[in-house]
Amino acid sequence: MSTTLPARIAILTVSDRASKGEYEDRGGPAAEDWLRRVITSPVEILRRITPDGRAEVAAELCDLADTWHADLILATGGTGPSPRDQTPEAMADVIKMDLPGFGEAMRVANGRVVATAILSRQSAGVRGKTLIITLPGSPNAIATSLEAIFAAVPYCLDLIGAGRIETDPAIIKAHRPKA
């Protein structure tokens, strides 16, 4: 009888103010709540907060992927055009494969809600057996983004050899090609 380990999902909030305790992290809890509503298979979720900045975010992404062995990392915040918003650059520094379709789909979905969605630089990529997705910091935009892309996430995890996740098809029907 084989035992399947729960998939490991890390949520990394990127915020100078939240990392200093000056601002309540709303993005991390919103992402976790969304995941717990949608995913039906066992998962282990770890939340961390890091300051903005390319080197800081890259170091956290590497630690979560290489040391904690996350199957999926959701990084919230730091995707705008302000000088401290360096999450996409940090992710680019640590991934081996870019998946631009994720960012395209998230911007289209958020663009239906707010005109400034075109300013957001969401993206995704693969580091080893870890899928990394960068999300906006707004709880509403996080939900809109995840709703736009999550049907593809379980199959992507399968393809890169990461942990398997199942979703509630009444909320998000995961797309996996028929065998």
Side-chain angles (χ1 to χ4, degrees):
M1 180 172 167
S2 71
T3 304
T4 304
L5 295 173
R8 295 181 128 201
I9 301 174
I11 300 169
L12 179 63
T13 298
V14 179
S15 168
D16 284 334
R17 293 185 309 152
S19 70
K20 295 176 190 169
E22 298 170 357
Y23 174 83
E24 179 186 357
D25 172 21
R26 292 177 27 241
E32 181 174 356
D33 291 346
W34 192 93
L35 291 169
R36 293 204 184 275
R37 272 190 315 106
V38 172
I39 297 174
T40 58
S41 53
V43 292
E44 180 180 351
I45 297 178
L46 172 70
R47 284 198 341 238
R48 285 190 187 166
I49 301 174
T50 190
D52 286 284
R54 188 171 183 159
E56 295 85 350
V57 174
E60 285 290 339
L61 293 172
C62 288
D63 185 57
L64 291 167
D66 302 345
T67 305
W68 193 69
H69 303 289
D71 298 295
L72 172 64
I73 299 171
L74 301 179
T76 71
T79 60
S82 73
R84 291 284 295 154
D85 290 336
Q86 296 288 305
T87 301
E89 289 78 12
M91 187 189 75
D93 289 344
V94 304
I95 63 170
K96 303 296 182 218
M97 183 184 304
D98 184 36
L99 300 172
F102 281 90
E104 294 162 7
M106 289 186 279
R107 276 184 294 283
V108 167
N110 281 294
R112 293 186 189 110
V113 179
V114 60
T116 55
I118 61 172
L119 300 175
S120 190
R121 301 177 307 125
Q122 299 107 312
S123 54
V126 177
R127 178 180 178 86
K129 293 183 178 185
T130 304
L131 172 62
I132 302 170
I133 301 172
T134 64
L135 301 166
S138 155
N140 289 339
I142 289 168
T144 301
S145 296
L146 290 173
E147 288 162 8
I149 61 159
F150 213 79
V153 169
Y155 185 53
C156 184
L157 294 175
D158 293 350
L159 290 172
I160 65 172
R164 185 172 177 95
I165 61 172
E166 302 293 342
T167 61
D168 180 344
I171 303 171
I172 297 287
K173 186 177 186 317
H175 174 76
R176 285 188 169 103
K178 302 219 187 305

